[in-house]
Short mmCIF file of all heavy atoms in Angstrom, two decimals:
data_model
loop_
_atom_site.label_atom_id
_atom_site.label_comp_id
_atom_site.label_asym_id
_atom_site.label_seq_id
_atom_site.Cartn_x
_atom_site.Cartn_y
_atom_site.Cartn_z
N ILE A 95 -9.39 -6.12 -209.67
CA ILE A 95 -9.11 -7.55 -209.63
C ILE A 95 -10.16 -8.28 -208.78
O ILE A 95 -10.67 -9.32 -209.17
CB ILE A 95 -7.69 -7.81 -209.08
CG1 ILE A 95 -6.67 -7.33 -210.11
CG2 ILE A 95 -7.47 -9.27 -208.75
CD1 ILE A 95 -5.24 -7.31 -209.60
N ALA A 96 -10.49 -7.72 -207.62
CA ALA A 96 -11.46 -8.35 -206.73
C ALA A 96 -12.85 -8.41 -207.34
O ALA A 96 -13.63 -9.32 -207.04
CB ALA A 96 -11.50 -7.62 -205.40
N SER A 97 -13.18 -7.47 -208.20
CA SER A 97 -14.52 -7.47 -208.79
C SER A 97 -14.58 -8.32 -210.07
O SER A 97 -15.67 -8.54 -210.60
CB SER A 97 -14.97 -6.04 -209.11
OG SER A 97 -14.14 -5.48 -210.11
N ASP A 98 -13.45 -8.84 -210.52
CA ASP A 98 -13.41 -9.69 -211.71
C ASP A 98 -14.02 -11.05 -211.40
O ASP A 98 -13.62 -11.73 -210.46
CB ASP A 98 -11.96 -9.84 -212.19
CG ASP A 98 -11.85 -10.55 -213.52
OD1 ASP A 98 -12.85 -11.13 -214.00
OD2 ASP A 98 -10.75 -10.51 -214.11
N GLU A 99 -14.97 -11.46 -212.20
CA GLU A 99 -15.70 -12.72 -211.98
C GLU A 99 -14.77 -13.93 -212.06
O GLU A 99 -14.91 -14.88 -211.30
CB GLU A 99 -16.82 -12.85 -213.01
CG GLU A 99 -17.84 -13.90 -212.67
CD GLU A 99 -18.98 -13.87 -213.65
OE1 GLU A 99 -19.57 -12.80 -213.86
OE2 GLU A 99 -19.29 -14.95 -214.19
N ARG A 100 -13.80 -13.90 -212.95
CA ARG A 100 -12.86 -15.03 -213.08
C ARG A 100 -12.02 -15.18 -211.83
O ARG A 100 -11.77 -16.31 -211.37
CB ARG A 100 -11.95 -14.81 -214.29
CG ARG A 100 -12.68 -14.90 -215.62
CD ARG A 100 -11.76 -14.55 -216.75
NE ARG A 100 -11.34 -13.13 -216.56
CZ ARG A 100 -10.40 -12.54 -217.25
NH1 ARG A 100 -9.73 -13.19 -218.17
NH2 ARG A 100 -10.10 -11.27 -217.03
N VAL A 101 -11.59 -14.07 -211.27
CA VAL A 101 -10.79 -14.12 -210.05
C VAL A 101 -11.63 -14.66 -208.89
O VAL A 101 -11.15 -15.46 -208.09
CB VAL A 101 -10.22 -12.71 -209.71
CG1 VAL A 101 -9.51 -12.71 -208.36
CG2 VAL A 101 -9.28 -12.25 -210.81
N GLN A 102 -12.87 -14.25 -208.81
CA GLN A 102 -13.76 -14.73 -207.75
C GLN A 102 -13.96 -16.24 -207.86
O GLN A 102 -13.94 -16.96 -206.86
CB GLN A 102 -15.09 -14.00 -207.80
CG GLN A 102 -15.00 -12.55 -207.41
CD GLN A 102 -16.31 -11.81 -207.59
OE1 GLN A 102 -17.29 -12.36 -208.07
NE2 GLN A 102 -16.32 -10.53 -207.23
N LYS A 103 -14.16 -16.74 -209.08
CA LYS A 103 -14.35 -18.18 -209.28
C LYS A 103 -13.08 -18.95 -208.90
O LYS A 103 -13.15 -20.01 -208.28
CB LYS A 103 -14.73 -18.48 -210.73
CG LYS A 103 -16.15 -18.11 -211.06
CD LYS A 103 -16.49 -18.45 -212.50
CE LYS A 103 -17.92 -18.03 -212.82
NZ LYS A 103 -18.27 -18.32 -214.21
N LYS A 104 -11.93 -18.43 -209.30
CA LYS A 104 -10.67 -19.09 -208.98
C LYS A 104 -10.42 -19.09 -207.47
O LYS A 104 -9.96 -20.09 -206.91
CB LYS A 104 -9.51 -18.39 -209.70
CG LYS A 104 -8.16 -19.03 -209.47
CD LYS A 104 -8.10 -20.44 -210.01
CE LYS A 104 -6.71 -21.01 -209.82
NZ LYS A 104 -6.62 -22.41 -210.17
N ALA A 105 -10.77 -18.00 -206.81
CA ALA A 105 -10.60 -17.93 -205.35
C ALA A 105 -11.51 -18.95 -204.67
O ALA A 105 -11.09 -19.63 -203.73
CB ALA A 105 -10.91 -16.52 -204.86
N ALA A 106 -12.75 -19.07 -205.13
CA ALA A 106 -13.67 -20.04 -204.55
C ALA A 106 -13.17 -21.47 -204.79
O ALA A 106 -13.23 -22.32 -203.89
CB ALA A 106 -15.07 -19.87 -205.14
#
Side-chain angles (χ1 to χ4, degrees):
I95 291 170
S97 65
D98 187 348
E99 195 174 307
R100 292 175 297 170
V101 174
Q102 291 174 357
K103 285 181 182 179
K104 182 64 177 173

